[in-house]
């Protein structure tokens, strides 16, 4: 089989809440004439992203073309999860013409690229491109990327000090592995914030990379699909903090799933999530909730103290009106008892 016959795969990476699911949803609805399939790699047990995307299925990307891997990082479960999923998608009739892989916000993309060298699939698929999403407001604020010059100066002064945080390493690895950067939420950052974010990305990138501003995931599919990067054959140009390691650690992050009582109002949950971010340094919260007197399910997604919520669909007649969220943070910040107390989870009867 020639390279031209290989099935192209686009890897979509980016930090927590950078807009990956919104982008994939837009591509599903605007596939540019391609028959798409989607693989979602969740961190945690609540399949929010996969559920959102399945609700957006259209003929060009039907629900059966959307698969979810919630059992850990794709690159750590290659034989058990990733390979069978890719083979199942390739066996569909009609076969997809392009596969999108939405990685976990905590994923390091380079180890995933190494999975494409797995003997069972390396002659059948190719990485068309790696798309990294970066939240303009967050990057401009310096929350995920350090001041490179200052870090270098500190390192020269005292090499025994660890100047990198897990968040900065994830961000830098995602930028280094990318073929194109989508700078999301530029409206929240403003012109000065966008300019600052672009400067930070340029400083972190190992080579010049195109940076495209994107609001609400709206981008012409021709910009990011069909790059023909063959990224699996271009690994040396994509440096990583973890180069030389046989594996990578996910112990820096932890997630817990919390069952909640029925809410009196959405604002009740929003206030609790804001407390989690401000008091416990929680990075991400996402899930579903039942609101008293409302026939529709409440979808909530939060990045730090920035919370977005909407009623996404009616409750089904055969499902329980359960409320459940996944909470993600760095390992030392996950304090289950305090998280449950702030969310009011102790009001849920034990099963």
């Amino acid at each position: 089989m020639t390279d031209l016959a290989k099935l192209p795969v686009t890897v979509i990476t980016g930090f927590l809440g950078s807009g990956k699911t919104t982008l994939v949803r837009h591509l599903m609805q605007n596939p540019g004439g391609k028959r798409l399939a989607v693989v979602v790699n969740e961190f945690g047990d609540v399949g929010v992203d996969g559920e959102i995307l399945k609700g957006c299925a259209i003929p060009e990307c039907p629900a059966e073309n959307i698969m979810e891997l919630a059992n850990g990082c794709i690159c750590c479960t290659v034989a058990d999860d990733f390979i069978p999923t890719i083979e199942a998608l390739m066996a569909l009739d009609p076969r997809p013409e392009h596969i999108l892989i939405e990685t976990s916000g905590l994923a390091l993309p380079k180890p995933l690229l190494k999975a494409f060298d797995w003997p069972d699939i390396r002659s059948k698929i190719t990485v068309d491109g790696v798309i990294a999403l970066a939240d303009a407001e967050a990057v401009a604020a310096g929350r995920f990327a350090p001041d490179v010059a200052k870090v270098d100066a500190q390192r020269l002064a005292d090499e025994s000090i660890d100047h990198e945080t897990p968040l900065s390493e994830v961000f830098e690895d995602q930028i280094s592995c990318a073929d194109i950067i989508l700078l999301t939420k530029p409206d929240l950052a403003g012109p000065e914030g966008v300019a600052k974010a672009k400067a930070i990305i340029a400083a972190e990138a190992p080579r010049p990379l195109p940076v495209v501003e994107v609001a609400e995931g709206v981008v012409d599919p021709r910009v990011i699909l069909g790059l023909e990067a063959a990224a699996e054959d271009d690994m040396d140009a994509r440096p990583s903090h973890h180069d030389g390691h046989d594996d990578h650690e996910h112990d820096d992050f932890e997630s817990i799933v919390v069952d909640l009582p029925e809410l009196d109002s959405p604002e009740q949950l929003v206030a609790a999530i804001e407390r989690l971010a401000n008091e416990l340094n929680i990075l991400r919260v996402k899930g579903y909730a039942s609101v008293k007197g409302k026939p529709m399910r409440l979808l909530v997604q939060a990045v730090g103290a920035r919370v977005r919520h909407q009623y996404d669909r009616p409750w089904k007649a055969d499902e329980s009106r359960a409320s459940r969220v996944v909470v993600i943070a760095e390992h030392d910040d996950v304090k289950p008892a305090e998280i449950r107390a702030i969310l009011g989870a102790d009001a849920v009867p034990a099963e």
Side-chain angles (χ1 to χ4, degrees):
M1 182 177 291
T2 66
D3 286 345
L4 291 177
K6 289 183 178 181
L7 182 63
V9 178
T10 293
V11 175
I12 299 173
T13 185
F15 204 77
L16 297 164
S18 60
K20 297 185 300 296
T21 301
T22 301
L23 172 66
V24 173
R25 182 169 52 190
H26 172 74
L27 292 173
M28 287 171 56
Q29 295 171 338
N30 302 273
K34 300 179 184 291
R35 187 164 55 250
L36 300 180
V38 178
V39 178
V40 181
N41 187 207
E42 287 275 15
F43 187 91
D45 299 323
V46 179
V48 175
D49 295 342
E51 186 73 17
I52 293 171
L53 295 176
K54 287 179 181 179
C56 302
I58 61 173
E60 289 80 3
C61 189
E64 59 266 26
N65 284 30
I66 303 169
M67 296 193 176
E68 188 173 4
L69 302 178
N71 297 322
C73 172
I74 291 176
C75 55
C76 297
T77 59
V78 173
D80 294 335
D81 292 316
F82 180 58
I83 301 301
T85 297
I86 293 297
E87 290 178 332
L89 290 175
M90 295 180 69
L92 290 172
D93 186 15
R95 194 176 96 148
E97 297 170 320
H98 202 113
I99 297 176
L100 309 177
I101 298 180
E102 178 192 338
T103 70
S104 158
L106 302 176
L108 301 176
K110 189 168 182 178
L112 171 57
L113 297 191
K114 294 179 180 178
F116 285 82
D117 196 40
W118 198 262
D120 290 347
I121 61 170
R122 62 187 176 189
S123 65
K124 302 174 184 176
I125 61 176
T126 181
V127 182
D128 180 71
V130 178
I131 313 302
L133 277 67
D135 182 316
E137 183 187 39
V139 174
R143 291 198 290 269
F144 307 140
D147 182 319
V148 177
K150 184 180 293 185
V151 169
D152 286 343
Q154 289 173 331
R155 185 178 291 113
L156 290 173
D158 185 353
E159 293 185 0
S160 68
I161 297 176
D162 180 10
H163 308 304
E164 295 289 343
T165 67
L167 297 185
S168 68
E169 288 193 6
V170 171
F171 175 78
E172 291 164 15
D173 277 18
Q174 290 172 349
I175 296 300
S176 296
C177 199
D179 294 290
I180 187 170
I181 310 295
L182 299 186
L183 198 59
T184 62
K185 305 173 185 148
D187 53 321
L188 297 179
E192 291 185 4
V194 167
K196 185 174 182 181
K198 288 182 176 179
I200 291 173
I201 290 170
E204 297 295 349
R207 59 197 183 283
L209 292 173
V211 178
V212 179
E213 295 176 40
V214 173
E216 298 297 331
V218 178
V219 61
D220 190 320
R222 294 174 297 179
V223 174
I224 59 175
L225 304 184
L227 299 181
E228 300 182 359
E232 71 276 14
D233 297 327
D234 188 30
M235 301 290 280
D236 291 342
R238 303 165 192 268
S240 165
H241 287 278
H242 298 263
D243 284 342
H245 296 264
D246 292 331
D247 55 16
H248 57 282
E249 298 294 332
H250 297 288
D251 294 342
D252 294 322
F253 304 98
E254 187 175 338
S255 70
I256 64 169
V257 177
V258 182
D259 292 311
L260 305 175
E262 192 169 44
L263 304 175
D264 292 321
S265 68
E267 289 70 29
Q268 176 186 349
L269 183 55
V270 170
I273 292 173
E274 290 173 345
R275 283 190 60 195
L276 289 178
N278 295 327
E279 298 177 20
L280 299 183
N281 201 31
I282 297 302
L283 299 173
R284 187 85 159 94
V285 179
K286 56 183 178 178
Y288 302 107
S290 173
V291 180
K292 292 178 181 177
K294 299 294 184 181
M296 299 187 71
R297 186 179 66 174
L298 183 73
L299 167 67
V300 60
Q301 301 199 62
V303 182
R306 194 169 69 213
V307 187
R308 299 180 67 174
H309 60 85
Q310 66 186 68
Y311 292 103
D312 69 326
R313 65 166 175 81
W315 289 101
K316 298 176 182 177
D318 60 348
E319 70 178 334
S320 170
R321 288 176 58 111
S323 299
R324 176 171 289 187
V325 296
V326 60
V327 179
I328 305 172
E330 292 189 48
H331 177 78
D332 292 343
D333 292 326
V334 176
K335 302 176 176 66
E338 294 180 43
I339 291 171
R340 289 176 56 83
I342 289 175
L343 289 172
D346 294 335
V348 179
E351 296 182 358

